[in-house]
Amino acid sequence: MNPYIRRGRSAAAAVALAAILSSVLPGCSREVPEPQAAPSRPPAAKPQPGPSLSADEQRSVDAAWTGFLKLNSIYLVAGQTGRYDWNADATRRPMYPYAGGRYMALLERDLDLMAEQGLVRTGRPTVTLRRVVSVSATSIVVEACVDDAAVDTVDRKTRKSVAAPGQNHRYPVTLRAGLYPDGAWRWVDSHTDRAASC
């Protein structure tokens, strides 16, 4: 069983949600070997205090976070149904408006591996935007709290779980979005700390 699938409860995204865009600013986050869970609900509470943001910075954060929720919704549905538009032109694929670089590649690889192995996901994770870590002209870093206790990865035919037991189901995730030349914020990096809780 592939270790990406055996972990079962980690998917993306959110999510995430895994990789670093080639033009990432150094020191903001580190690469992780798996995509993150795909949380899809809006924040349940206001984020914790972070840096003071200008009105323009807040608009950028809001736009990027809305994109993150859309990304994870697309990823969640694809993981639950096994259906994803594998257009030969990657810019026409459903997640492209919201994810980029190696992060998008890892999300798609996870979906492809699940399809190959006859697996689907069940349940819906929740995500809460806890705080904005930093905002610059080309990068947004946020910390979210993911709760994936209601999520499982199961064999499509037998409906039996293939998830590793004893995992922490509530954990912080640090996410980074990068500003692309077309003016869109795309999520390019995700780091999960399953040893911590939130």
Side-chain angles (χ1 to χ4, degrees):
M1 178 68 63
N2 184 291
Y4 291 104
I5 302 302
R6 188 65 185 158
R7 289 186 178 96
R9 296 188 194 276
S10 291
V15 199
L17 93 256
I20 300 174
L21 184 66
S22 59
S23 61
V24 169
L25 300 175
C28 289
S29 180
R30 57 187 174 155
E31 183 177 0
V32 293
E34 67 183 75
Q36 307 308 312
S40 61
R41 290 188 189 170
K46 289 192 173 189
Q48 295 176 356
S52 295
L53 303 179
S54 69
D56 285 343
E57 290 172 332
Q58 186 63 57
R59 279 191 289 275
S60 293
V61 169
D62 292 344
W65 187 250
T66 296
F68 177 76
L69 297 176
K70 290 177 181 177
L71 167 67
N72 282 288
S73 179
I74 292 166
Y75 178 83
L76 179 64
V77 169
Q80 291 175 337
T81 64
R83 291 190 300 272
Y84 183 72
D85 180 6
W86 294 100
N87 194 300
D89 179 355
T91 65
R92 295 183 178 269
R93 294 180 187 169
M95 289 192 286
Y96 178 78
Y98 315 109
R102 291 167 51 198
Y103 183 56
M104 180 172 163
L106 285 173
L107 293 174
E108 290 187 333
R109 182 177 67 182
D110 186 61
L111 293 175
D112 191 41
L113 287 171
M114 288 179 58
E116 279 182 17
Q117 297 181 17
L119 304 175
V120 292
R121 293 223 165 76
T122 62
R124 296 186 68 88
T126 58
V127 64
T128 303
L129 176 59
R130 297 182 74 201
R131 67 187 181 104
V132 176
V133 176
S134 66
V135 179
S136 74
T138 59
S139 177
I140 295 172
V141 179
V142 301
E143 182 182 287
C145 182
V146 174
D147 184 340
D148 67 3
V151 178
D152 199 359
T153 301
V154 301
D155 183 284
R156 182 189 289 274
K157 292 180 181 176
T158 67
R159 304 309 285 183
K160 290 184 179 179
S161 176
V162 298
Q167 296 185 77
N168 177 15
H169 298 297
R170 189 174 172 84
Y171 48 87
V173 178
T174 302
L175 302 151
R176 183 174 55 249
L179 183 62
Y180 272 57
D182 63 2
W185 288 99
R186 292 187 175 89
W187 294 91
V188 298
D189 185 27
S190 175
H191 173 69
T192 297
D193 185 0
R194 279 195 178 263
S197 191
C198 57

